[in-house]
Amino acid sequence: MTEPVVSIRNLSKVYQQGDIQVTALNGVSLDIGAGEFLALMGPSGSGTSTLLHIIAGVDRPTGGQCLVQGVDVGQLDESGLADWRNQNVGFVFQSFNLIPVLTAFENVELPLLLTQLGGRERKRLATTALDLVGLGDRSHHLPRQLSGGQEQRVAIARAGDGPEVDRGG
Ligand SMILES: Nc1ncnc2c1ncn2[C@@H]1O[C@H](COP(=O)(O)OP(=O)(O)OP(=O)(O)O)[C@@H](O)[C@H]1O
Ligand SMILES: [Mg+2]
C-alpha cells in the first residue's frame, strides 16, 4: 500500500478555559489514503470539528502527531503554517467564515491573492469557481445579501478554487 496522505497517531486536544479543561480528542489514531473519501461522524461536541481543524492546520494538537503528506503540521511555526495551509488545504468551515465586507467574488479571490497568480488569472479562477457552485450571477453580493445555502456555496468555491479547478479536480 502507498503511504497514507494523512497519518494520525495518538492525537489529543485539551481545551483550557479558565479552570475548566475540556478533552475534545483523546488518543485518536487514523490513516487516510490518497483519493479516499472519508466521513467523520459523531454526536454533537464529540470532537469532529476539532480533528478536522488539526488536520488542516487551523488548530494545534496538545499531544500526539498529525502528519499530512509527511509534514508534521503541528510543528510548523505560524507563518510556515499559514503558507502550508494556503498551498495545501481547502476548508469549508462549519460556520462559513466569509468576510462580511467583501463580495462573493472577493471572498473567493482572497486566498488567490496570497499566490503568485496575476490579476487576470485570479479573476478567471474565481469566476470559474463561482460558476461551478451556481453563483455566477451573485458575485457582487455581500454575504448578508445571500441565503445560508448560497453563503455555504461561496465557502465551497473559496475552498476549491485555484489552478486545480482548471483540471476539473
Ligand atoms: N475553543 C474552545 N475552547 C474550549 N472548548 C472548546 C473549544 N472548541 C470546542 N470546545 C469543546 O470541545 C468539544 C469538541 O468540540 P468540536 O467543535 O470539535 O465538536 P463537534 O464534534 O464538531 O460538534 P458539532 O457536531 O456540534 O459541530 C466540545 O465539548 C466543545 O465544547
Ligand atoms: Mg463541528
Side-chain angles (χ1 to χ4, degrees), residues 4 20 66 113 142 162:
I20 302 170
C66 177
L113 294 174
L142 295 169

Side-chain angles (χ1 to χ4, degrees), residues 85-150:
R85 280 197 305 264
N86 184 244
Q87 285 157 24
N88 295 286
V89 179
F91 202 100
V92 180
F93 289 93
Q94 185 164 7
S95 54
F96 316 133
N97 290 349
L98 297 178
I99 311 287
V101 297
L102 299 183
T103 65
F105 175 86
E106 289 164 343
N107 267 283
V108 174
E109 187 190 28
L110 193 62
L112 301 177
L113 294 174
L114 306 171
T115 69
Q116 303 293 320
L117 295 171
R120 184 184 289 194
E121 187 67 358
R122 286 200 307 268
K123 183 165 193 292
R124 196 176 65 74
L125 291 169
T127 303
T128 303
L130 277 171
D131 283 344
L132 281 172
V133 297
L135 289 176
D137 59 348
R138 294 289 191 283
S139 58
H140 299 301
H141 286 230
L142 295 169
R144 65 179 154 77
Q145 298 166 331
L146 296 168
S147 73
Q150 288 171 337

Side-chain angles (χ1 to χ4, degrees), residues 4-11 25 27-33 36 38-40 48 51-52 55 65-68:
V5 172
V6 176
S7 187
I8 293 169
R9 292 292 173 272
N10 205 22
L11 198 70
L25 300 173
V28 177
S29 295
L30 173 73
D31 284 332
I32 307 173
E36 190 174 338
L38 183 76
L40 280 171
T48 49
L51 181 56
L52 288 177
I55 295 171
Q65 207 181 35
C66 177
L67 297 181
V68 182

